[in-house]
Amino acid sequence: MRKTCLNIDSLRTTLRWSIVFPILAAVVLFAVKTGRAQDAETARPFGLVIHGGAGSISKDRITPEREAAYQAKLQEAIEAGYAILEGGGSSFDAVETTINIMEDSPLFNAGKGAVFSNDGTNEMDASIMDGRTLNAGAVASIKHIKNPISLARLVLENSPHVMLVGAGAEEFGAEHGIEKVSNYYFFTDRRWKSLQRTIAKQDSLNKAASEAGTPAKAASTEKGTVGCAALDKQGNLAAGTSTGGLTNKRWGRVGDSPIIGAGTYANNATCAVSGTGQGEYFMRLLVAHDIHARMFYQNKALADAAKEVIHGELTKLGGAGGIISIDKNGNIAMTFNTAGMFRGYRTNSQPVTVQMYGEE
Amino acid sequence: MRKTCLNIDSLRTTLRWSIVFPILAAVVLFAVKTGRAQDAETARPFGLVIHGGAGSISKDRITPEREAAYQAKLQEAIEAGYAILEGGGSSFDAVETTINIMEDSPLFNAGKGAVFSNDGTNEMDASIMDGRTLNAGAVASIKHIKNPISLARLVLENSPHVMLVGAGAEEFGAEHGIEKVSNYYFFTDRRWKSLQRTIAKQDSLNKAASEAGTPAKAASTEKGTVGCAALDKQGNLAAGTSTGGLTNKRWGRVGDSPIIGAGTYANNATCAVSGTGQGEYFMRLLVAHDIHARMFYQNKALADAAKEVIHGELTKLGGAGGIISIDKNGNIAMTFNTAGMFRGYRTNSQPVTVQMYGEE
């Protein structure tokens, strides 16, 4: 019977496949594995870097409790932004979320922790820039918006403008349903006492200057700001900055934080930058745009461009402050000429890191 | 007698000198003249260039009377600034004086001729920069200052700040005795009618957009601004810009005119620039600072740098406008991608020239 016959041809085929199949399977598995490894190596880098202000930040001026609070809040902000990037979200979203967390904390001079102006109110500035489109949004001298960076984003996305200031900017926000709060929301005992101290100091400076017949110096040396620069998996860069400005400020003073090219800049061709420090110097030097320009026109590495601008130009002109930046390849720079800067970062290749003092 | 004797030696000496002296004199005169000519050639160049706004300026849209009025006012402004430079004055003074003349004329969208905001008031912006020190002053959203550029200069010279906005900026001006005027000073029938036309146009755009469920476009295409860039005999550059902004503007919109690096920039190392056009694009591109950067980092000539930024970057991004600029060697650029730009210049080597249309 055919059924019981030993079919030599069939046996030969079976034997052939029992040898060929494992080899074939091994080859396929190897190819897949190698491909995955190559994917990991060539995967686009991503990550973000933040700051919470530069200035006379040193270990002997901060209590251990306060240091721990800064450490925890900076890390929380970094992790929240990083989670967005890791999940494939945009650098633009990561920047806004990260800054919102710092704005909502009384620790930093932005949003909830904003310093007081001379008239006892809080006047805030913010800006955000999208490195893919070069679109930008900025607001200045606003008093009743809980999260200024989100209003800046609204300006970018829902108006044909880049910059809105004062009550008009708040009116625009109201038309788009952004959260308004009483100016009292921004009251913190710490900042109020700081205003009283600065006013007293300014009075004595004014008196001395008046007696000597010279112009009075400014008493405030407050340099607080928060900022974030991020690179997402799509290779898009974004940067944002938010601030309460100077303690005891007058005359509707606006610093570099809401000025595109001075305190904030992002361009997919090079890097994303956020600055903090004596805003007037950052405005005169176009610090953020100058770092881009040195990379773009001179092929400088981010670290070198940042060093030249902060330790070169800014220091030469007599200004104090720093920047955080991430470039299109995921390289991080945190460069400052002050004693310290609240800062930190996380990238796909580097774990979360938070620093405060001069261990640059 | 010795007296009557023909003294051959004496005669020979006289003859010799009668030949040698004219030759010697000719040589000395020639040397002096050549020296003077060389002095003139090696004298430091100086001069200035101005604009009165870019846009749809064409011969068929302007009456001969109006053309003559623009011609005369632009020339008056140029000559006033040039006289300061020729007399050894600073480029900084020349820029302020030149812009004051255009601010005081109802022909231009700055000072007296400022356009109306949506609420029927006039909100003006201005900035000025000193290329020697990189000092800068800027004001935005001011309503009662006759000459905004002079308030910007006051900010530079009498405050530690770069930018003041709104009522605070006016308060600062009042403390320093700057001329305040009623907002009614800025009323001109022409601009008022323009506001009414723009409001009507915006209403119909809003209605159409609402019916189509799309965002409404902005009706205003006003791009007026005035600006000046100057080089003095000491080799110092300065630039300034003053504007009434957009007709029917809302929400405290601020354009590029008061933004250092966007609408105004000066640096003795390269050039002085003032821009005019769709401010939002100038802010995103940092037009004025980018022209400087291309000269500084790439050794580009002013004309090439200006062309790359205006006809390259600005046009690519979809923006319209132009710049005027003078470099440290006295070279002039007047570059725009609009139909026309009110403009003119005078230098120590070129006579006064005024242009309006597209004969770039």
Side-chain angles (χ1 to χ4, degrees):
Chain A
M1 277 170 62
R2 203 177 166 151
K3 265 186 183 168
T4 57
C5 275
L6 192 67
N7 185 332
I8 298 294
D9 277 348
S10 170
L11 188 69
R12 198 176 283 153
T13 307
T14 307
L15 270 170
R16 197 185 292 148
W17 275 113
S18 70
I19 295 163
V20 169
F21 189 76
I23 293 171
L24 210 68
V27 167
V28 167
L29 272 171
F30 180 72
V32 167
K33 217 171 162 184
T34 309
R36 272 201 196 131
Q38 278 176 344
D39 272 357
E41 267 166 35
T42 59
R44 300 202 71 138
F46 65 94
L48 82 169
V49 56
I50 70 172
H51 70 76
S56 49
I57 300 157
S58 59
K59 217 168 170 71
D60 55 325
R61 294 169 67 115
I62 297 181
T63 63
E65 294 73 31
R66 211 161 170 78
E67 184 186 281
Y70 276 111
Q71 169 83 35
K73 190 53 77 176
L74 288 165
Q75 186 158 340
E76 179 193 340
I78 293 167
E79 296 289 17
Y82 188 80
I84 291 171
L85 298 173
E86 196 172 36
S90 77
S91 54
F92 204 65
D93 285 337
V95 165
E96 185 190 11
T97 298
T98 304
I99 291 180
N100 283 166
I101 290 170
M102 291 190 280
E103 283 177 336
D104 291 345
S105 160
L107 289 172
F108 307 100
N109 177 20
K112 175 69 186 156
V115 300
F116 284 96
S117 297
N118 176 267
D119 65 357
T121 63
N122 311 82
E123 286 172 32
M124 292 159 290
D125 311 325
S127 68
I128 190 163
M129 186 163 188
D130 177 347
R132 183 175 65 83
T133 58
L134 301 185
N135 276 338
V139 291
S141 288
I142 55 168
K143 296 185 177 190
H144 305 95
I145 304 294
K146 184 166 176 273
N147 291 109
I149 195 75
S150 300
L151 183 56
R153 179 180 181 152
L154 201 69
V155 171
L156 186 159
E157 291 179 338
N158 289 284
S159 89
H161 303 310
V162 168
M163 188 177 202
L164 304 181
V165 307
E170 297 189 354
E171 188 192 318
F172 170 80
E175 286 180 23
H176 291 85
I178 203 162
E179 187 171 5
K180 271 186 89 168
V181 291
S182 142
N183 201 261
Y184 188 74
Y185 165 79
F186 302 101
F187 182 89
T188 54
D189 192 55
R190 174 179 165 227
R191 300 299 193 193
W192 185 255
K193 281 179 180 150
S194 166
L195 174 65
Q196 306 315 317
R197 274 198 309 273
T198 309
I199 287 175
K201 199 171 153 194
Q202 188 69 62
D203 282 349
S204 78
L205 280 172
N206 290 352
K207 204 178 154 210
S210 159
E211 281 166 7
T214 56
K217 284 184 190 158
S220 175
T221 55
E222 188 62 62
K223 294 186 250 323
T225 312
V226 305
C228 177
L231 171 68
D232 63 30
K233 287 180 175 177
Q234 292 73 46
N236 293 320
L237 287 160
T241 312
S242 182
T243 189
L246 294 173
T247 301
N248 196 31
K249 72 179 169 190
R250 294 181 65 191
W251 310 311
R253 178 262 186 187
V254 169
D256 65 316
S257 301
I259 306 295
I260 299 303
T264 303
Y265 188 74
N267 190 323
N268 273 8
T270 53
C271 62
V273 185
S274 170
T276 174
Q278 293 175 313
E280 278 73 10
Y281 292 90
F282 280 65
M283 295 165 89
R284 293 161 60 192
L285 291 170
L286 282 305
V287 161
H289 189 253
D290 196 21
I291 291 172
H292 151 81
R294 282 165 201 256
M295 294 177 71
F296 195 60
Y297 296 128
Q298 299 191 298
N299 285 312
K300 291 261 166 78
L302 170 61
D304 295 333
K307 203 173 155 187
E308 286 175 11
V309 174
I310 299 299
H311 294 296
E313 308 302 331
L314 181 68
T315 305
K316 246 192 295 180
L317 208 60
I323 61 96
I324 52 97
S325 179
I326 185 166
D327 73 12
K328 63 178 177 176
N329 300 315
N331 297 305
I332 298 282
M334 306 187 298
T335 313
F336 52 98
N337 67 3
T338 45
M341 178 166 78
F342 295 114
R343 63 199 187 277
Y345 60 88
R346 182 172 176 188
T347 73
N348 63 314
S349 61
Q350 295 180 91
V352 61
T353 304
V354 171
Q355 296 173 320
M356 298 180 203
Y357 313 115
E359 65 271 36
E360 192 179 350
Chain B
M1 276 167 66
R2 201 172 169 157
K3 263 183 185 168
T4 56
C5 274
L6 190 70
N7 186 331
I8 299 292
D9 277 346
S10 170
L11 187 69
R12 197 179 283 155
T13 306
T14 306
L15 270 169
R16 196 186 292 147
W17 275 111
S18 69
I19 296 162
V20 169
F21 188 76
I23 293 171
L24 209 69
V27 167
V28 167
L29 271 172
F30 180 72
V32 167
K33 219 173 161 182
T34 309
R36 271 199 198 134
Q38 279 176 341
D39 272 357
E41 267 166 36
T42 56
R44 297 203 74 136
F46 64 95
L48 83 169
V49 55
I50 71 172
H51 70 77
S56 49
I57 301 158
S58 60
K59 217 168 170 71
D60 55 325
R61 295 169 67 115
I62 296 181
T63 63
E65 293 73 32
R66 212 163 168 75
E67 185 186 282
Y70 277 110
Q71 170 82 35
K73 190 52 77 176
L74 288 165
Q75 186 157 339
E76 178 193 339
I78 293 167
E79 295 290 17
Y82 188 80
I84 290 171
L85 298 172
E86 197 173 35
S90 77
S91 52
F92 204 66
D93 284 336
V95 165
E96 185 190 12
T97 297
T98 304
I99 291 180
N100 283 165
I101 289 170
M102 292 190 280
E103 283 177 335
D104 291 344
S105 161
L107 290 171
F108 308 100
N109 178 19
K112 174 71 186 154
V115 300
F116 283 97
S117 299
N118 176 268
D119 66 356
T121 62
N122 311 81
E123 287 172 30
M124 294 158 288
D125 310 324
S127 68
I128 190 164
M129 186 161 185
D130 176 347
R132 184 175 64 84
T133 58
L134 302 183
N135 276 338
V139 291
S141 288
I142 55 168
K143 297 185 175 191
H144 306 96
I145 303 295
K146 185 167 175 272
N147 292 108
I149 195 74
S150 300
L151 182 56
R153 179 181 180 152
L154 202 69
V155 171
L156 187 159
E157 291 179 338
N158 289 285
S159 87
H161 304 310
V162 167
M163 188 176 204
L164 304 182
V165 307
E170 297 189 354
E171 187 193 318
F172 170 79
E175 285 179 23
H176 290 84
I178 204 162
E179 189 172 3
K180 271 186 89 168
V181 290
S182 142
N183 201 261
Y184 188 74
Y185 164 79
F186 303 101
F187 181 89
T188 55
D189 193 54
R190 174 179 166 227
R191 300 299 192 193
W192 185 254
K193 281 178 181 152
S194 167
L195 174 65
Q196 306 314 317
R197 277 198 308 274
T198 308
I199 286 175
K201 200 172 155 194
Q202 188 69 60
D203 282 348
S204 78
L205 280 172
N206 289 352
K207 204 178 154 211
S210 160
E211 280 165 9
T214 55
K217 283 182 190 160
S220 174
T221 55
E222 187 64 62
K223 294 186 252 319
T225 312
V226 304
C228 178
L231 171 67
D232 63 29
K233 288 181 175 176
Q234 292 73 48
N236 293 320
L237 288 159
T241 312
S242 181
T243 189
L246 295 172
T247 301
N248 196 33
K249 71 180 169 189
R250 295 181 64 191
W251 309 311
R253 178 262 186 187
V254 169
D256 64 316
S257 301
I259 306 295
I260 298 304
T264 303
Y265 188 73
N267 189 324
N268 273 8
T270 53
C271 62
V273 184
S274 170
T276 175
Q278 294 175 313
E280 278 73 10
Y281 292 90
F282 281 66
M283 294 165 90
R284 292 161 61 193
L285 291 169
L286 281 305
V287 162
H289 189 252
D290 196 21
I291 292 172
H292 150 80
R294 283 164 201 257
M295 295 177 70
F296 196 61
Y297 296 128
Q298 299 190 297
N299 284 313
K300 292 262 166 77
L302 170 61
D304 296 332
K307 203 174 157 188
E308 286 174 10
V309 174
I310 298 300
H311 294 296
E313 308 301 332
L314 182 68
T315 305
K316 247 191 297 180
L317 208 60
I323 60 96
I324 51 97
S325 180
I326 186 166
D327 74 11
K328 62 178 177 176
N329 300 314
N331 297 305
I332 298 282
M334 306 188 298
T335 312
F336 52 98
N337 67 1
T338 46
M341 178 166 78
F342 295 114
R343 63 200 187 275
Y345 59 88
R346 181 170 176 189
T347 72
N348 62 314
S349 60
Q350 295 180 90
V352 62
T353 304
V354 171
Q355 296 174 321
M356 298 179 201
Y357 313 115
E359 66 269 34
E360 193 181 352

